[in-house]
């Protein structure tokens, strides 16, 4: 069974601070996705990374896929209260099946 | 477009009762999924359907059955509900295309409590 771990589990920061959350596995994935989920709603895709070592930027969010395709990180610069939510990583294996991590719950305080 | 819709939004059942969760998508996607989400455990796949007429078990299929009624609709049935099935259930759809990156579109969820 492929497993994804995410750290930290919980993170509470002040508006304007920077943060990084991590997604790790012992398995290799063909690609990896990051989703954000707000209370009472389903997850929404933020980004897909497909190449080992790839870095993608989405405004204040920077996503990196590890060289070995086993891990990923999400860095948020100058966090805003609107960034509050549950951040989920999902690995896609070569059989096109999804494996979700348990998530990092981020609270950005004003 | 409504995307992925789920009914009901909330449900309370007694142990042993049965119910069906409904899901529909209007994006003409081939693949549909049912997940459950529990605190600290992320999303766990219950069943999925890669195309109309096919269904496969996911990580946690015990106690559930599914029906892919047509390309749009994918239902999840609990035949005899148990307290361990208290959870939030999400339906999702995607276009299972090996040249794309299979974004999953999720519904708003059904919050189920089994007493």
């Amino acid at each position: 069974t492929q497993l994804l771990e995410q750290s930290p589990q919980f993170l509470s920061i002040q508006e304007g601070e920077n943060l990084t959350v991590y997604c790790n596995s012992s398995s290799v994935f063909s690609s990896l996705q990051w989703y954000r989920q707000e209370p009472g709603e389903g997850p929404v895709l933020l980004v897909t990374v497909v190449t080992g070592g790839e870095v993608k930027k989405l405004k204040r969010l920077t996503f990196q896929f590890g060289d070995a395709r086993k891990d990923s990180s999400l860095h948020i610069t100058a966090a805003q209260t609107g960034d509050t939510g549950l951040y989920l990583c999902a690995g896609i294996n070569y059989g096109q099946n999804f494996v979700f991590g348990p998530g990092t719950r981020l609270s950005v305080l004003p | 477009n409504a995307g992925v819709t789920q009914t009901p939004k909330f449900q309370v059942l007694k142990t042993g009762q049965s119910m069906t969760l409904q899901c529909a998508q209007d994006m003409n996607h081939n693949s549909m999924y049912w997940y459950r989400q529990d605190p600290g455990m992320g999303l766990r796949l219950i069943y999925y359907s890669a195309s109309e007429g096919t269904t496969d078990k996911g990580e946690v299929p015990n106690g559930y059955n599914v029906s892919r009624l047509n390309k749009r609709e994918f239902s999840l049935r609990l035949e005899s509900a148990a307290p361990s099935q208290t959870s939030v259930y999400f339906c999702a759809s995607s276009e299972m295309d090996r040249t794309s990156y299979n974004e999953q579109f999720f519904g708003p969820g059904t919050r189920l409590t089994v007493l």
Side-chain angles (χ1 to χ4, degrees):
Chain A
T1 302
Q2 294 176 301
L3 293 175
L4 276 170
E5 299 178 343
Q6 290 188 245
S7 60
Q9 188 176 359
F10 299 96
L11 185 58
S12 181
I13 61 170
Q14 295 293 133
E15 197 168 27
E17 292 184 351
N18 302 332
L19 67 114
T20 303
V21 298
Y22 300 92
C23 174
N24 296 288
S25 176
S26 58
S27 301
V28 175
F29 293 102
S30 65
S31 59
L32 192 139
Q33 296 179 332
W34 284 92
Y35 290 80
R36 182 169 68 207
Q37 184 179 17
E38 299 191 17
E41 299 181 7
V44 176
L45 181 69
L46 295 173
V47 77
T48 302
V49 285
V50 298
T51 305
E54 180 178 4
V55 176
K56 276 192 175 178
K57 292 192 174 184
L58 188 68
K59 297 184 179 178
R60 293 176 296 102
L61 279 61
T62 301
F63 304 85
Q64 185 164 10
F65 198 15
D67 290 341
R69 312 170 76 94
K70 295 181 179 182
D71 55 85
S72 181
S73 63
L74 159 59
H75 181 80
I76 301 179
T77 302
Q80 299 177 357
T81 55
D83 296 326
T84 293
L86 179 67
Y87 289 81
L88 296 161
C89 65
I92 303 167
N93 62 31
Y94 292 92
Q96 298 293 312
N97 295 319
F98 287 79
V99 177
F100 279 86
T104 291
R105 191 166 297 280
L106 172 64
S107 295
V108 182
L109 307 174
Chain B
N1 290 349
V4 179
T5 57
Q6 292 183 235
T7 56
K9 287 188 71 72
F10 300 93
Q11 184 71 50
V12 178
L13 293 177
K14 294 181 179 178
T15 297
Q17 288 185 317
S18 62
M19 78 162 295
T20 299
L21 282 66
Q22 307 286 353
C23 173
Q25 52 94 7
D26 62 3
M27 295 172 283
N28 203 37
H29 286 162
N30 284 309
S31 300
M32 298 186 73
Y33 311 81
W34 276 106
Y35 293 91
R36 60 177 289 172
Q37 186 174 37
D38 302 292
M41 301 193 73
L43 290 161
R44 291 185 293 168
L45 183 64
I46 304 171
Y47 271 93
Y48 67 100
S49 171
S51 62
E52 186 179 351
T54 68
T55 61
D56 287 285
K57 295 179 180 179
E59 180 186 354
V60 289
N62 291 346
Y64 306 95
N65 285 299
V66 291
S67 295
R68 183 75 183 265
L69 304 171
N70 47 55
K71 192 170 186 179
R72 290 188 64 247
E73 298 172 289
F74 189 36
S75 63
L76 178 71
R77 182 160 178 83
L78 287 69
E79 290 290 353
S80 179
S84 61
Q85 294 178 304
T86 293
S87 188
V88 182
Y89 291 85
F90 288 97
C91 177
S93 72
S94 72
E95 190 52 57
M96 190 63 87
D97 178 352
R98 291 181 183 274
T99 65
S100 69
Y101 301 114
N102 303 326
E103 174 181 1
Q104 293 206 356
F105 293 84
F106 286 84
T110 294
R111 282 140 189 83
L112 174 66
T113 301
V114 183
L115 303 174

